[in-house]
C-alpha cells in the first residue's frame, strides 16, 4: 500500500514539473517578445476611500504618538493617515468626506477586564428608581403590582443609585432597610423580591436583598432555615422570625441563587437580547474590543457564539474560559488538560470578532462558592463558574500543564505572582503573555519578577485607584503608598499594562482619569502622585496595550496604515481637556472595522 502511494506521488510530482516547465518556457518566450518593445513602468493605482475624515485631531497612538489631521478608510482598514492634502488623493466619486472641525479621534479602546455581558442584564428587571424613603419604595412596588396578576412574582433591581449604589440605606429617610411587612403593604397578593447589588459595583459590604412574606413562603425560608455559608445572614425580628432582609458579606450574592433562583434568573433569551445592549453601552464610551479575563462559562459563551452567527456581535471579543472543576471530579489534570483544554492554546481559537484567549485559573473554593455552584450551569450575574477554584498545589500543577500545552492562564490578584514565579522556574513563560489581573500592590522586587516573566498586567483602577484607594493607603506607611498599583514604575520597566473597567461602570475614561489623577473617592489629595501616568501613557494603555493583551497589536490599537478602522470620535480631547473632566468624555461616534456601531445625532454635522 505504501509503495503504491509513493508511486502515485512520484507521478504527480513528474506531471507538476512537466507542467511547470512548459509554463516557464511559454513565459520566457512571451518575455522575449515583449522585451523588444520599450515599456513605461505602470504607476500604482490610488485606492479610493469609502470615508475620509479631514480637519480633525487624529490621535494615532502610533510609536511616535503622531497627531494627524486626516484619515482614510476603505472596507474595514485604514488606507491613509496624515495631512488633509496627503489623504485627499484617496477621494473618489463615492467617498464620504466628513469635516471633523478639529474634534479628536482616537483608536478604539480595549477593555482589558470587561464583564461586558452584565451591562444589558441590568435592564431585564425593573429599577426602583431614585427612591429616598420606604414610602417611595412601597409606591414603586405597588405600581409594579398593578401590572401583575395575583401570585405573579415582582422582582426589582437594588435600592440605591447606579452605578455604585453608595450610602444605602442612609439615603432613605428612615435610615433602615424595608422589611417583609413594608413590602406586604405594597403588594399583598404577590411575592416580592428586591435584589441585592452585584457587590463589585460598590466594592464594599454588605449586600442586602429583601423579600416579602409570600416570597419567603414560596422560597421555604422560615425561622429554622440555616444559611449555607457564614457570610450570609437571615435577619430576624425580636420573635426570631425572618424580617425578609438578607445580609451578605461577600461580593457575589448567594441568597438569590439558592432561594430565589427561578424568579430572578436570566434566561438564555434575556442574555441574547442583553448582549447587543451591552455592546452599545461600551461603544458609547469608545470601546471597540474587550478581553474577558475572569473567564466565561459555557452558558455565556453560547450567547456570544449565537450573536456572532446572527451578525449582532459588533465588539471584538477575546474570552478566557471559565472551567467547572467540580464537574471534572477527580480527573487527572495532565491528560485532562491535554485532551479537553487543547483548543484553548495559542494562537487563540476563533476570528477577529470572537476568539478564545486563555483559561481563567483560581486558587481556592469555599462553602460560599459551593453554595453558588448548586445553581450550575446557571451563573447569575457572574457569567463564570463558581467551581472555578482549585487548591493551591493543584493550581500550580494546572499552570505547569498550561505551560506545556501553550495555554495562557489568567489569574486575579498580585498574590498570584508567586505561583507564576514558581512555574517559570520549571518551565520558562517569558514571551507567552500570561496575564495577571486586578493588581493591588507591587514592590520593586515584584516588578522585577513581572519583567523577567514577561507578564501582561490588567488593572482594576475603579476600585484600587478610586473607590478603595484611601482604604488601601491607610494600610501602608506613606513612603510605601507608591506600591499601590504602581503604573509609572511598571511602564518605566517596560511592562505592558492594559486598562479595564470590570463593568464598575463601563467607561474606560474613568480608568484613564484615575491613572492620571490618583485621587480617592470623596477626597481631594493625590495618593503617591509619583506613580501617576501622563495622559499619553494612559491613552496608550487603553488602546495599544490592550491590543497587545489579545495578541492583536499588528491589527488594532493605533490608527496606522493597514490596521482595522476601529476608532471613536470623542466629545472632548483627552490630551487637553481639564484633568477633572477626562472621566466625563464620551464617544460621539464609534466605528469597528469601518462600520459605525454607535452614533449620536448630528455627530457629522
Amino acid at each position: 500500500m505504501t509503495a503504491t502511494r509513493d508511486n502515485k506521488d512520484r507521478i504527480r510530482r513528474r506531471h507538476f514539473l512537466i507542467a511547470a516547465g512548459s509554463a516557464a518556457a511559454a513565459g520566457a518566450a512571451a518575455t522575449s517578445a515583449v522585451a523588444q518593445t520599450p515599456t513605461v513602468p505602470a504607476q500604482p493605482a490610488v485606492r479610493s476611500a469609502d470615508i475620509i475624515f479631514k480637519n480633525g485631531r487624529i490621535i494615532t497612538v502610533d510609536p511616535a504618538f503622531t497627531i494627524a489631521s486626516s484619515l482614510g478608510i476603505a472596507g474595514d482598514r485604514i488606507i491613509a493617515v496624515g495631512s488633509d492634502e496627503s489623504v485627499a488623493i484617496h477621494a473618489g466619486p463615492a467617498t464620504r468626506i466628513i469635516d471633523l472641525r478639529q474634534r479628536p479621534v482616537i483608536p478604539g479602546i480595549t477593555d482589558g477586564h470587561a464583564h461586558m455581558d452584565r451591562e444589558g442584564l441590568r435592564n431585564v428587571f425593573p429599577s426602583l428608581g431614585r427612591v429616598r424613603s420606604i414610602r417611595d419604595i412601597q409606591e414603586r412596588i405597588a405600581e409594579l403590582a398593578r401590572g401583575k396578576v395575583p401570585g405573579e412574582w415582582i422582582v426589582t433591581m437594588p435600592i440605591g443609585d447606579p452605578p455604585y449604589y453608595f450610602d444605602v440605606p442612609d439615603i432613605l429617610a428612615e435610615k433602615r432597610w424595608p422589611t417583609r411587612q413594608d413590602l406586604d403593604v405594597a403588594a399583598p397578593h404577590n411575592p416580592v423580591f428586591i435584589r441585592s447589588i452585584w457587590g463589585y459595583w460598590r466594592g464594599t459590604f454588605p449586600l442586602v436583598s429583601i423579600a416579602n412574606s409570600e416570597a419567603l413562603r414560596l422560597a421555604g425560608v422560615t425561622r429554622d432555615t440555616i444559611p449555607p455559608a457564614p457570610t450570609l445572614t437571615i435577619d430576624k425580628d425580636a420573635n426570631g422570625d425572618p424580617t425578609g432582609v438578607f445580609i451578605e458579606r461577600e461580593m457575589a450574592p448567594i441568597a438569590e441563587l439558592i432561594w430565589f433562583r427561578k424568579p430572578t434568573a436570566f434566561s438564555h433569551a434575556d442574555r441574547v437580547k442583553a448582549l447587543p445592549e451591552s455592546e452599545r453601552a461600551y461603544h458609547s464610551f469608545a470601546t471597540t474590543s474587550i478581553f474577558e479575563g475572569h473567564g466565561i462559562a459555557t452558558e455565556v459563551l453560547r450567547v456570544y457564539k449565537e450573536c456572532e452567527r446572527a451578525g449582532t456581535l459588533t465588539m471584538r471579543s477575546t474570552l478566557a474560559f471559565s472551567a467547572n472543576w467540580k464537574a471534572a471530579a477527580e480527573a487527572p489534570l495532565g491528560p485532562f488538560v491535554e485532551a479537553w483544554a487543547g483548543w484553548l492554546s495559542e494562537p487563540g481559537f476563533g476570528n477577529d470578532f470572537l476568539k478564545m484567549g486563555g483559561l481563567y485559573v483560581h486558587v481556592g473554593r469555599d462553602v460560599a462558592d459551593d453554595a453558588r455552584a448548586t445553581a450550575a450551569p446557571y451563573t447569575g450575574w457572574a457569567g463564570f463558574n463558581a467551581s472555578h477554584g482549585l487548591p493551591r498545589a493543584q493550581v500550580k500543577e494546572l499552570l505547569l500543564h498550561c505551560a506545556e500545552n501553550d495555554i495562557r492562564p489568567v489569574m486575579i490578584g498580585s498574590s498570584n505572582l508567586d505561583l507564576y514565579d514558581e512555574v517559570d522556574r520549571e518551565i520558562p513563560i517569558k514571551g507567552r503573555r500570561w496575564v495577571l489581573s486586578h493588581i493591588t500592590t507591587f514592590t520593586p522586587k515584584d516588578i522585577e519578577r513581572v519583567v523577567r516573566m514577561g507578564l501582561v498586567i490588567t488593572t482594576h483602577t475603579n476600585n484600587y485607584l478610586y473607590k478603595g484607594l484611601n482604604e488601601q493607603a491607610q494600610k501602608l506607611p506613606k513612603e510605601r503608598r507608591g506600591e499601590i498599583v504602581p503604573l509609572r514604575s511598571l511602564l518605566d520597566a517596560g511592562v505592558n499594562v492594559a486598562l479595564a473597567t470590570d463593568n464598575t461602570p463601563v467607561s474606560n475614561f474613568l480608568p484613564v482619569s484615575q491613572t492620571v489623577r490618583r485621587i480617592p473617592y470623596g477626597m481631594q489629595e493625590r495618593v503617591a502622585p509619583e506613580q501617576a501616568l501622563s495622559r499619553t501613557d494612559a491613552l496608550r494603555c487603553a488602546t495599544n496595550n490592550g491590543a497587545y493583551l489579545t495578541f492583536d497589536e499588528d491589527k488594532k490599537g493605533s490608527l496606522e496604515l493597514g490596521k482595522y478602522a476601529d476608532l471613536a470620535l470623542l466629545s472632548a480631547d483627552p490630551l487637553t481637556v481639564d484633568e477633572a473632566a477626562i472621566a466625563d468624555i464620551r464617544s460621539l461616534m464609534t466605528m469597528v472595522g469601518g462600520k459605525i456601531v454607535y452614533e449620536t445625532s448630528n455627530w457629522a454635522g
Side-chain angles (χ1 to χ4, degrees), residues 164 466 507 509-520 523-524 526 533 535 571-586:
Y164 299 118
Y466 183 57
S507 171
F509 290 107
L510 291 168
V512 169
S513 171
Q514 291 150 7
T515 60
V516 170
R517 306 186 75 206
R518 294 183 67 96
I519 298 177
M523 304 187 74
Q524 300 299 320
R526 300 176 192 264
L533 297 185
R535 300 183 191 215
S571 60
D573 189 333
L575 303 182
T576 60
V577 72
D578 184 78
E579 189 180 88
I582 296 174
D584 300 323
I585 295 175
R586 300 184 65 95

Side-chain angles (χ1 to χ4, degrees), residues 364-430:
R365 191 166 72 232
D366 57 23
V367 292
D369 291 324
D370 288 338
R372 281 186 285 270
T374 61
Y378 178 67
T379 61
W381 285 109
F384 52 78
N385 284 303
S387 294
H388 58 195
L390 292 169
R392 190 185 190 282
Q394 278 190 284
V395 167
K396 181 180 176 182
E397 182 187 353
L398 174 61
L399 292 174
L400 286 167
H401 291 307
C402 284
E404 290 169 345
N405 290 277
D406 207 18
I407 296 169
R408 180 169 69 155
V410 183
M411 298 192 76
I412 288 177
S414 301
S415 60
N416 290 308
L417 184 61
D418 290 341
L419 266 167
Y420 279 3
D421 199 351
E422 290 172 27
V423 172
D424 181 63
R425 294 180 189 280
E426 295 187 41
I427 303 176
I429 63 175
K430 190 173 181 66

